[in-house]
Amino acid sequence: MNDPSIKHIGFVAEFRLLHQIQEFYFYDINNVLSKSIDELDEQNYIAVLQGLIQVNNLFELTHQANYILLQNLSVDDYHYFREFLGQSSGIQSEAICSNNFRKLYPTFAKKIYKYY
């Protein structure tokens, strides 16, 4: 796959899926963590624990998607396929991952620390 001239549409679709699925996982992680914060306010500790387990599982899936990309895609291949992503990638990733994480994780940590 190290030949950037390859134009196989099937692989483009697979690359897009693996590349984009992380955004969906992070979106789910943010939603589950947000719900866990609400459950913590309600002192529903079983739901909080279930949410954290789900977050952990989603992080594991994200890691697996990254691993597949890193093991099978050269830097040149990556940049070649980025051209096919168009509007479906880029700023959305930053908004989903960075901005929400900056708000959710400190909020969750503050609520957890009050129990120590």
Side-chain angles (χ1 to χ4, degrees), residues 17-87:
L17 174 67
L18 288 171
H19 177 74
Q20 300 289 119
I21 199 150
Q22 298 169 52
E23 294 180 25
F24 295 115
Y25 288 148
F26 280 119
Y27 182 81
D28 285 344
I29 288 167
N30 288 333
N31 285 338
V32 171
L33 188 58
S34 181
K35 289 176 186 173
S36 294
I37 291 169
D38 294 341
E39 294 294 346
L40 191 57
D41 288 339
E42 299 293 323
Q43 297 184 349
N44 187 354
Y45 304 119
I46 299 293
V48 172
L49 182 58
Q50 289 170 335
L52 292 177
I53 290 168
Q54 186 177 358
V55 164
N56 184 62
N57 292 338
L58 288 166
F59 271 123
E60 178 60 31
L61 292 171
T62 301
H63 171 73
Q64 290 173 12
N66 277 332
Y67 183 80
I68 292 168
L69 283 176
L70 291 172
Q71 294 298 311
N72 295 294
L73 203 62
S74 72
V75 173
D76 289 338
D77 293 337
Y78 175 79
H79 288 293
Y80 171 75
F81 282 109
R82 288 278 305 161
E83 295 175 20
F84 291 98
L85 296 178
Q87 297 289 2

